[in-house]
């Protein structure tokens, strides 16, 4: 049972275990996200990234361990209410958005944690939605249907949607999947700008590409086979030795003029 002392962290995970049948999806994962930190969850396919996301957002029930989000303990609080404090940008949402829905409605739906918006909206909702679209450079596309947006525009609409509820945490789940190099570069610049704004939410970027780690990300959680290999400041965790262990292959981390690159050793 959690102690009466509530953590001050944005996210507190301790000895988290998730089993399904004989499979261990997460094995004693401990992780803490403090205010002012932006994290990358990095690791190969099948390392537990998706399972960890589903667990901390209440879509996957833990077998053992503790989770506290914004000082509220899993099992003691209404996780549906807490989800309104967590912005989620993931390509998994795209298939659930009606193809004829205008971008502005998709954005407003984030305020109500709905997909296929059916709630009665207000003029204030529309003003806030237009502001969110303007901040991601898409104000002129407010009335464009989802089906006529490019992949890069869709990802930026989802960022605007996630920000509508003024979340304390924003999770970017492999947000560059399917983007061409130009769209990926533009998207990552927007993420970097968002991270540096005053009162920015704590960002969690989930990826297996070091090229997507922008300077604003301060910390790294490195996973392998459902376990934490390392967690801490980026300079300590993001090393050739650690990444070689995580990806089970000798690799060399290189710094470039725009970030990082991973090459075979």
């Amino acid at each position: 049972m959690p102690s009466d002392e509530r953590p001050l962290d944005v996210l507190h995970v301790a000895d988290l275990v998730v089993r399904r049948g004989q499979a261990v999806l997460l094995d004693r994962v401990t992780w803490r996200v403090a205010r002012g930190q932006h994290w990358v969850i990095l690791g190969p396919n099948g390392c537990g990234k998706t399972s960890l996301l589903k667990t901390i957002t209440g879509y996957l029930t833990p077998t053992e361990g503790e989770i506290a989000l914004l000082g509220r303990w899993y099992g003691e609080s209404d996780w549906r209410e807490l989800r309104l404090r967590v912005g989620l940008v993931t390509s998994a949402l795209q298939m659930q958005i009606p193809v004829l829905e205008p971008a502005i409605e998709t954005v407003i739906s984030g305020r109500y944690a709905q997909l296929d918006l059916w709630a009665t909206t207000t003029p204030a909702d529309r003003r806030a939605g237009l502001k969110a679209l303007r901040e991601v450079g898409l104000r002129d596309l407010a009335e464009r249907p989802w089906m006529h947006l490019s992949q890069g525009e869709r990802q930026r609409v989802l960022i605007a949607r996630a920000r509508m509820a003024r979340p304390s945490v924003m999770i970017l789940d492999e947000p560059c999947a399917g983007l061409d190099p130009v769209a990926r570069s533009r998207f990552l610049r927007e993420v970097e700008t968002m991270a540096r704004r005053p009162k920015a939410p704590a960002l969690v970027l989930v990826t297996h590409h070091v090229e997507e780690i922008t300077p604003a990300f301060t910390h790294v959680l490195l996973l392998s086979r459902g376990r934490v290999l390392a967690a801490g400041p980026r300079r300590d965790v993001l090393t050739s030795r650690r990444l070689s262990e995580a990806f089970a292959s000798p690799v060399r981390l290189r710094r470039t003029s725009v970030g990082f690159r991973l090459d075979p050793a």
Side-chain angles (χ1 to χ4, degrees):
M1 293 290 293
S3 68
D4 289 336
E5 183 180 351
R6 295 309 195 234
L8 299 177
D9 304 307
V10 172
L11 177 67
H12 169 95
V13 176
D15 291 324
L16 183 65
V17 176
V18 175
R19 297 192 190 94
R20 291 298 180 267
Q22 297 299 312
V24 179
L25 306 182
L26 296 173
D27 188 3
R28 300 293 171 189
V29 171
T30 293
W31 177 37
R32 301 180 74 172
V33 177
R35 298 186 187 279
Q37 295 177 348
H38 299 307
W39 281 77
V40 176
I41 302 179
L42 185 66
N45 290 330
C47 70
K49 299 189 298 290
T50 299
S51 296
L52 180 57
L53 288 190
K54 287 183 176 180
T55 306
I56 64 178
T57 52
Y59 292 108
L60 188 62
T61 303
T63 306
E64 300 176 34
E66 299 177 356
I67 306 173
L69 180 64
L70 305 171
R72 307 276 291 278
W73 290 100
Y74 183 91
E76 294 183 0
S77 305
D78 186 342
W79 226 245
R80 294 168 299 179
E81 178 185 342
L82 278 176
R83 284 192 200 117
L84 295 174
R85 304 286 303 280
V86 179
L88 179 61
V89 178
T90 173
S91 57
L93 294 177
Q94 296 196 16
M95 296 181 63
Q96 302 177 58
I97 296 174
V99 295
L100 295 179
E101 182 173 82
I104 183 63
E105 290 189 13
T106 302
V107 172
I108 292 172
S109 73
R111 175 165 283 186
Y112 297 93
Q114 296 175 1
L115 290 169
D116 192 2
L117 182 64
W118 52 265
T120 301
T121 61
T122 67
D125 289 335
R126 182 174 177 83
R127 289 193 296 272
L130 291 174
K131 179 182 178 183
L133 281 171
R134 183 171 60 250
E135 289 175 346
V136 296
L138 295 180
R139 171 62 180 82
D140 292 342
L141 302 186
E143 302 302 331
R144 181 168 295 184
W146 182 257
M147 67 184 295
H148 295 311
L149 296 171
S150 70
Q151 182 69 7
E153 289 165 348
R154 289 178 178 183
Q155 291 295 73
R156 289 154 70 194
V157 166
L158 290 179
I159 280 190
R161 179 185 185 274
R163 292 169 62 178
M164 277 294 287
R166 296 183 179 179
S168 299
V169 183
M170 186 174 293
I171 297 173
L172 307 172
D173 181 15
E174 299 192 9
C176 296
L179 298 186
D180 62 50
V182 173
R184 183 176 77 163
S185 178
R186 183 183 298 119
F187 181 84
L188 292 175
R189 285 199 303 270
E190 168 60 28
V191 171
E192 183 73 9
T193 298
M194 178 173 58
R196 296 186 181 281
R197 287 189 177 121
K199 299 182 180 179
L203 298 183
V204 177
L205 171 67
V206 182
T207 185
H208 48 264
H209 296 295
V210 299
E211 298 85 355
E212 297 173 6
I213 301 174
T214 68
F217 287 93
T218 58
H219 290 67
V220 176
L221 175 68
L222 192 59
L223 296 178
S224 178
R225 299 181 181 180
R227 297 181 178 180
V228 175
L229 281 182
R234 188 184 65 197
R235 64 180 179 275
D236 297 334
V237 176
L238 205 62
T239 67
S240 296
R241 180 179 65 82
R242 300 260 193 204
L243 293 174
S244 295
E245 183 180 0
F247 289 95
S249 181
V251 294
R252 179 174 296 174
L253 182 71
R254 299 183 184 275
R255 291 184 177 271
T256 71
S257 59
V258 294
F260 298 96
R261 189 179 76 193
L262 203 60
D263 296 324

